[in-house]
Amino acid sequence: MVEVTKIDLGLDSTGRGGDSQRTAFEKCNDNVDILVDSISRVSEQLETVSSTNKELTTTIKNFATKGDNSDITALNGLKHNIIQPADASDNMGSVTLRQLNAKFAQGSGSSSGTTHVVSDYIGAIQWFNGSRAAIPVGYIPADGQLLNREDYPELWDTLSRDLLNIVSDTEWLSASDKRASFSSGNGSTTFRVPDINGKQSGSLKGLFVRGDGYAASGTVNGDAIRNIEASIHAAGASAWQLPSGAFYLAGSNATVAEYTNSSMSPTILRLDASRVVPTANENRPVSANFIAIIRVNNILSVNTRQEIVTAQSNVPVNGSVVSGGVLETSLSVKGSKYASASINSIKTVGVDGAGIQFNTVDYSTKTPTTRQYTLNSDSGEIFTYSNPAMGRNKLGLGTASTYNVGQDGAVIPVLNQSNVFSMPQVIRTYGGGNTNLCLENSAGWGAGGAVVTGQVYRGPLLTSSCPMWGDQQRGIRADFFIEECAGYSTQATISLKDWSQNWHYWVFKNDNNAYSSGTWISSSDKRLKTEFKVIGSDTDILEQCKSFRGYVFKRKTNNHYEAGFIAQDIEKVLPESVYVNQDITLNDGTVVKDSLSLDYGAMSAYNHECILALISKVDELTKKIESLEKKQETDAEV
């Protein structure tokens, strides 16, 4: 507030008793100067405010156009995240991304009756009771050391999302109270971890960790104690009273015994806390020393046997099913289980063998869907069930029996289905390219490295069979297997046994030929065909037939002599009978790209039309001959 000088106008209209005109004029001038100066200062302040407003407007606009929102010029068009000043502190507060990430990093809560193995979130600090050489995988000591961001990407990602306290490296190095925080390192390739162990120069040694009630998280407090006050009075004016506690007398007459002698007069009073409490070169409570270590990634290293036990004090009754401890992995969505899978041991009391049980639960549906799979160690059976009320289904890989012996005497495992399944049992593989479901002979081909020429080596059978009731050795059966007659041929065989116990075979050999004791038959029903056109109806088929020949030739893939046509020749006259096949590699390594295959059944149709054309020609010539013969007979009669 501007203070101006008041003008005294006096007691009456003449100004008697007040300021003279000169004095009043001078006061007016002074007041004007004061007001001008005040107005000047107010003007300067207004300019400052205006400049500040311009900077604020520019800052808001720059923020509004940040990221993908470069077209935003007004707050009502703002689409970027709104920055909140702090995490939510009550149930109705808005949650920041940092707060949300921190919550998920901590993992979902446990439920009653279950045991959870909780992995520390990235950047968590814990105490390790061991040597530095034995710090577990996934952790580093909290020694305030600089690290490369590329070497610890998961920890740096956590820091870059503001989930942990981080300051500039300049702040970290210049102030010891910042050394419980991470630092941003050189700002591009490095960062620094907290120095909880007190290893860096200028750091306080051996820090305790405490709550943030007195100071902000990530800061360091130097040692201190509450103030201690004490007093002692002299006896009379020349001698001290007998002190107690930390006070003691020093000098030639320092002992109490000497003090009690009135002829002695101690003159020095000292304080020594070690007389009543333990002392050291630091202030500390009762404590134990460990190494502070920091979680840097999600690697979980288990160097010993881990066991989850379900303990029972008494042996269960025979026939009851008991389960061991459960190891479960689950997905939580919005605080509730969404899907889970678990594994545990299982045992039917009084029955030989124990099992491994796998459980999956889908909680995303209104009624959770459960699947169980049990492997039995004694019988080799696999049990499954999808609904406890329906009982268990069994997929049993049986042991040797009188009816599961192959033609060569080998034991054939039997896939035994009991009870009724709600759907077919499917073995499915996923992924690009070829994926394998493999039946493999454990002995291997040419066991021990010795391959005997002429010896037949056979892979395991893939068998589908239906035995006769009461006679397991009889019935129908189909096999698929691979054979090698060493030094001669490799072949895949499909075999079939009919009700009369006769075997039939279809063989696919490595000479690229297929063999059968019967005939390959293709479907040719007219109801399966449309757009009929007679071969050669639009050309002279007999003239066309002269453009290609039949040959005897030696095939490069197996050096066998064969007879047949050349696909490139046939493609010119009947392209519908020629197909592009896969690439074929010859014995010399030459690759024949897009090899051509010929449908000899189509050639039969072509040849048939050629025969019909010949028959037509023969009929035509026969009629001409008959006509000429009649004419000759007529001419002869004349």
Side-chain angles (χ1 to χ4, degrees), residues 598-610:
L598 180 62
D599 181 358
Y600 277 87
M603 288 305 301
S604 297
Y606 184 91
N607 292 336
H608 176 73
E609 289 302 315
C610 287

Side-chain angles (χ1 to χ4, degrees), residues 556-569:
K556 292 182 179 180
T557 55
N558 55 19
N559 294 323
H560 291 177
Y561 283 93
E562 302 175 12
F565 298 109
I566 295 175
Q568 284 84 349
D569 294 343

Side-chain angles (χ1 to χ4, degrees), residues 75 91 116 145 173 176 203 244 307 349 410 443 477 540 588 591 600 628:
L75 189 59
N91 292 336
H116 290 252
Q145 67 271 38
L173 292 171
S176 61
S203 294
S244 62
E307 188 170 1
V349 180
R477 171 174 152 182
D540 185 347
D588 62 0
V591 177
Y600 277 87
L628 289 173

Side-chain angles (χ1 to χ4, degrees), residues 108-271:
S108 58
S110 62
S111 57
S112 176
T114 62
T115 300
H116 290 252
V117 177
V118 180
S119 175
D120 293 330
Y121 61 87
I122 304 298
I125 297 177
Q126 65 172 259
W127 299 102
F128 176 62
N129 186 6
S131 70
R132 287 178 172 266
I135 292 176
V137 174
Y139 292 86
I140 60 172
D143 289 347
Q145 67 271 38
L146 275 174
L147 303 176
N148 289 322
R149 297 180 184 182
E150 291 184 354
D151 295 339
Y152 300 90
E154 292 171 285
L155 179 55
W156 174 246
D157 177 67
T158 303
L159 289 171
S160 64
R161 289 185 286 125
D162 292 332
L163 295 180
L164 303 170
N165 294 311
I166 184 169
V167 298
S168 70
D169 206 51
T170 301
E171 290 180 88
W172 200 96
L173 292 171
S174 62
S176 61
D177 64 341
K178 300 292 185 181
R179 297 196 174 185
S181 296
F182 291 84
S183 92
S184 54
N186 63 9
S188 59
T189 62
T190 65
F191 69 97
R192 191 185 296 274
V193 299
D195 189 9
I196 307 300
N197 295 312
K199 294 295 184 177
Q200 300 297 319
S201 175
S203 294
L204 298 178
K205 307 299 182 183
L207 299 180
F208 292 93
V209 178
R210 60 188 301 198
D212 63 351
Y214 275 98
S217 173
T219 58
V220 174
N221 306 303
D223 61 344
I225 62 172
R226 294 182 181 181
N227 188 30
I228 299 175
E229 296 182 353
S231 63
I232 191 169
H233 299 277
S238 59
W240 296 105
Q241 290 183 339
L242 181 62
S244 62
F247 284 117
Y248 71 100
L249 297 172
S252 60
N253 304 322
T255 65
V256 174
E258 292 175 335
Y259 178 76
T260 56
N261 187 334
S262 59
S263 64
M264 298 179 182
S265 179
T267 58
I268 301 174
L269 181 64
R270 290 185 176 177
L271 175 65

Side-chain angles (χ1 to χ4, degrees), residues 506-534:
W506 293 263
V507 178
F508 303 84
K509 286 193 174 183
N510 61 333
D511 59 5
N512 290 323
N513 292 322
Y515 301 87
S516 170
S517 56
T519 303
W520 297 100
I521 299 175
S522 301
S523 174
S524 189
D525 194 313
K526 183 177 181 179
R527 294 169 295 176
L528 305 176
K529 304 174 183 179
T530 186
E531 298 185 13
F532 295 93
K533 177 184 176 182
V534 176

Side-chain angles (χ1 to χ4, degrees), residues 380 396-401 403-406 410-416 439-440 460-465 477:
L397 294 179
T399 54
S401 65
Y403 63 87
N404 62 355
V405 178
V411 175
I412 304 173
V414 176
L415 188 64
N416 178 31
L439 299 179
E440 185 176 278
L461 302 175
L462 180 61
T463 299
S464 174
S465 67
R477 171 174 152 182

Side-chain angles (χ1 to χ4, degrees), residues 361-380:
V361 185
D362 181 2
Y363 293 95
S364 64
T365 58
K366 186 174 181 181
T367 301
T369 304
T370 301
R371 297 285 188 272
Q372 285 189 349
Y373 312 87
T374 304
L375 280 65
N376 187 282
S377 65
D378 183 65
S379 65

